[in-house]
């Protein structure tokens, strides 16, 4: 076990979006500096980090600079080139481990890994031709979700088969032969667990959140979830197993489907801080962002208990226009990402509304 990083050390963050921004804010609170690698100038993270290297994520001289200046490097999105993360890891500690990146970037590797770890998923088949797709659909009773193995996010690169369709047309429209067909799961709800593992192997979990998506984008995360204790325990146990198997350090977000009988199956995991964990910023003493910084810096993990029930709502596109109204709400914690251009489907901020707080009366 290495010594905790001393205050004043620099943390490298690959990726400059809102997650990088919130990591940089948490790092600053613990007296660490941050250096962000992100090609887009004036990115959300740069506005609060110490410095940005404006270069591609796999730019060799940028990676050299990151390794030379940083005591530890992390990342805020899962499509960081694995080769870049591995090259960096030769010179500086990179957390979460690049192996977690590699697994999470390919849905086939991810589901295979989860099953090998004893974590149930939807049934799945690798698909590379229209004939393989037909055969896999036949196995799954004509229904299923066809997904690109790589670079899918927010429901993009997916097609749901609910009945007979022109399979060749759908296959061609996917634009790649690196595909996976999953059985169509009749889930009752979607939940996620935000877990963290420290450099000393200690693990802590936040309470699961129930997630509602619209147009493939996370809309709300509600805590607590309305599920039996056994469901929560099963999701927590799977998250712990995943963290241990990957010798993981940092925050992970694991998404689960809850079936009508209360059992859970894993859908996917993100090796980073997760949108469905933003509520922790408002309803826990230590947020997922601080927790991640603590873990990668070798500090003790913080308290994951929630002090309030809450609902986190993403402010997507024009929703951000409500900010001035939200600012007047009691028990609403607003977070804006500093993005100058509002676009439909773009995450501009989020608000967490706290519930059931016993506050003294004013006056
Ligand atoms: P993903 O990109 O895998 O997170 O999928 C996006 C959304 O599609 C999920 O949040 C689910 O609502 C839905 N979905 C994904 N996979 C399946 C599946 N195998 N069965 C039913 N719904 C799914």
């Amino acid at each position: 076990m290495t010594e905790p990083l001393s205050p004043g050390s620099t943390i490298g963050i690959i990726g400059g979006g809102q997650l990088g921004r919130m990591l940089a804010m948490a790092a600053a609170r613990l007296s660490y500096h941050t250096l962000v690698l992100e090609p887009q100038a004036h990115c959300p993270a740069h506005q609060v980090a110490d410095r940005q290297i404006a270069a591609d994520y796999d730019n060799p001289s940028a990676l050299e600079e990151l390794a030379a200046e940083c005591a530890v490097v992390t990342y805020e999105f899962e499509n960081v080139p694995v080769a870049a993360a591995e090259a960096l890891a030769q010179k500086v500690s990179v957390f979460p481990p690049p192996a977690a990146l590699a697994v999470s970037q390919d849905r086939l590797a991810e589901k295979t890994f989860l099953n090998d770890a004893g974590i149930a998923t939807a049934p799945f088949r690798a698909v590379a031709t229209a004939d393989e797709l037909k055969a896999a659909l036949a196995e799954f009773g004509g229904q299923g979700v066809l997904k690109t193995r790589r670079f899918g996010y927010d429901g993009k690169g997916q097609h749901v088969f609910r009945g007979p369709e022109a399979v060749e047309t759908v296959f061609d429209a996917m634009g790649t032969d690196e595909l996976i067909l999953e059985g169509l799961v009749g889930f009752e709800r979607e939940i996620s667990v935000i877990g963290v593992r420290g450099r000393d192997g200690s693990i802590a979990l936040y309470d699961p959140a129930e997630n509602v998506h619209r147009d493939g984008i996370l809309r709300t995360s509600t805590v607590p979830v309305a599920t039996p204790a056994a469901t929560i325990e099963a999701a927590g146990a799977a998250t712990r197993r995943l963290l241990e198997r990957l010798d993981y350090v940092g925050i992970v977000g694991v998404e689960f489907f809850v079936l009508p009988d209360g059992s859970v199956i894993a859908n996917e995991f993100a090796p980073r801080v997760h949108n469905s964990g933003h509520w922790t910023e408002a309803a826990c003493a230590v947020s997922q962002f601080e927790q991640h910084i603590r873990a990668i810096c070798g500090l003790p993990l913080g308290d994951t208990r929630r002090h309030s029930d809450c609902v986190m709502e993403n402010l997507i596109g024009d929703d951000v226009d409500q900010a001035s109204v939200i600012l007047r709400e009691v028990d609403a914690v607003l977070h804006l990402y500093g993005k100058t251009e509002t676009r439909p489907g773009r995450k501009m901020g989020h608000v967490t509304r706290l519930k059931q707080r016993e506050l003294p009366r004013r006056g």
Side-chain angles (χ1 to χ4, degrees):
M1 175 65 200
T2 45
E3 287 295 300
L5 238 65
S6 346
S9 305
T10 299
I11 300 170
I13 302 174
I14 306 178
Q18 64 267 17
L19 301 178
R21 176 186 176 98
M22 292 185 267
L23 285 171
M25 291 168 74
R29 274 184 27 161
L30 294 177
S31 211
Y32 294 117
H33 298 291
T34 43
L35 175 55
V36 172
L37 172 59
E38 163 62 48
Q40 187 213 317
H42 312 298
C43 60
H46 181 213
Q47 295 167 20
V48 302
D50 289 77
R51 195 163 76 79
Q52 176 181 359
I53 305 171
D56 287 338
Y57 307 121
D58 53 1
N59 178 304
S61 63
L63 294 171
E64 282 292 333
E65 200 178 334
L66 211 57
E69 287 203 25
C70 299
V72 63
V73 174
T74 189
Y75 44 89
E76 59 120 44
F77 72 115
E78 60 271 43
N79 287 324
V80 172
V82 173
E86 282 171 346
L88 258 181
Q90 301 293 319
K91 300 179 182 144
V92 59
S93 299
V94 176
F95 297 126
L101 259 184
V103 173
S104 71
Q105 282 180 4
D106 178 357
R107 291 185 193 274
L108 184 61
E110 186 179 36
K111 291 217 157 48
T112 305
F113 161 81
L114 289 166
N115 286 180
D116 288 350
I119 301 169
T121 62
F124 61 93
R125 297 285 179 273
V127 164
T129 64
D131 282 343
E132 284 179 7
L133 176 55
K134 279 183 200 160
L137 271 169
E139 268 190 85
F140 295 159
Q143 296 197 322
V145 184
L146 183 65
K147 302 179 180 180
T148 54
R149 280 172 53 180
R150 295 173 181 277
F151 302 119
Y153 69 98
D154 286 348
K156 292 190 176 59
Q158 300 195 7
H159 183 87
V160 181
F161 288 94
R162 294 186 191 277
E165 273 190 72
V167 172
E168 274 94 357
T169 314
V170 174
F171 179 83
D172 290 343
M174 297 298 283
T176 168
D177 59 4
E178 282 208 310
L179 298 166
I180 183 173
L181 183 77
E182 298 177 13
L184 185 62
V185 179
F187 57 81
E188 199 159 68
R189 56 185 93 236
E190 294 185 75
I191 65 169
S192 57
V193 175
I194 306 299
V196 63
R197 187 166 178 272
R199 284 170 82 155
D200 63 355
S202 54
I203 288 178
L205 306 176
Y206 289 96
D207 292 333
E210 174 164 354
N211 302 317
V212 173
H213 300 86
R214 198 162 75 204
D215 302 328
I217 303 176
L218 180 69
R219 195 77 224 173
T220 58
S221 292
T222 300
V223 191
V225 295
T227 52
T231 301
I232 294 172
E233 271 164 36
T239 305
R240 281 177 188 277
R241 215 171 310 142
L242 182 154
L243 287 167
E244 274 162 2
R245 281 272 179 139
L246 287 170
D247 199 15
Y248 199 90
V249 174
I251 286 274
V252 73
V254 192
E255 297 179 15
F256 297 92
F257 298 136
V258 181
L259 305 185
D261 67 1
S263 62
V264 291
I265 60 175
N267 177 33
E268 62 182 5
F269 72 91
R272 53 168 168 80
V273 286
H274 197 255
N275 195 167
S276 72
H278 289 3
W279 64 272
T280 61
E281 166 194 52
C284 300
V286 177
S287 73
Q288 63 164 345
F289 305 102
E290 178 174 331
Q291 203 73 260
H292 186 76
I293 297 298
R294 285 179 179 232
I296 67 171
C297 293
L299 301 175
L301 298 183
D303 192 357
T304 48
R305 290 172 305 172
R306 73 174 197 285
H307 54 67
S308 305
D309 296 352
C310 63
V311 181
M312 187 286 309
E313 182 188 351
N314 270 337
L315 301 177
I316 297 165
D318 289 345
D319 293 347
V320 72
D321 297 344
Q322 299 161 23
S324 57
V325 179
I326 294 168
L327 283 169
R328 292 178 193 284
E329 282 181 38
V330 172
D331 277 346
V333 181
L334 177 66
H335 199 136
L336 302 175
Y337 303 153
K339 297 181 183 177
T340 44
E341 194 190 338
T342 307
R343 287 196 297 264
R346 194 174 198 203
K347 291 174 182 167
M348 304 298 294
H350 65 267
V351 55
T352 303
R353 296 185 170 93
L354 302 174
K355 308 272 181 201
Q356 299 173 5
R357 293 180 73 211
E358 293 289 332
L359 289 179
R361 284 180 191 279
R362 275 205 199 90

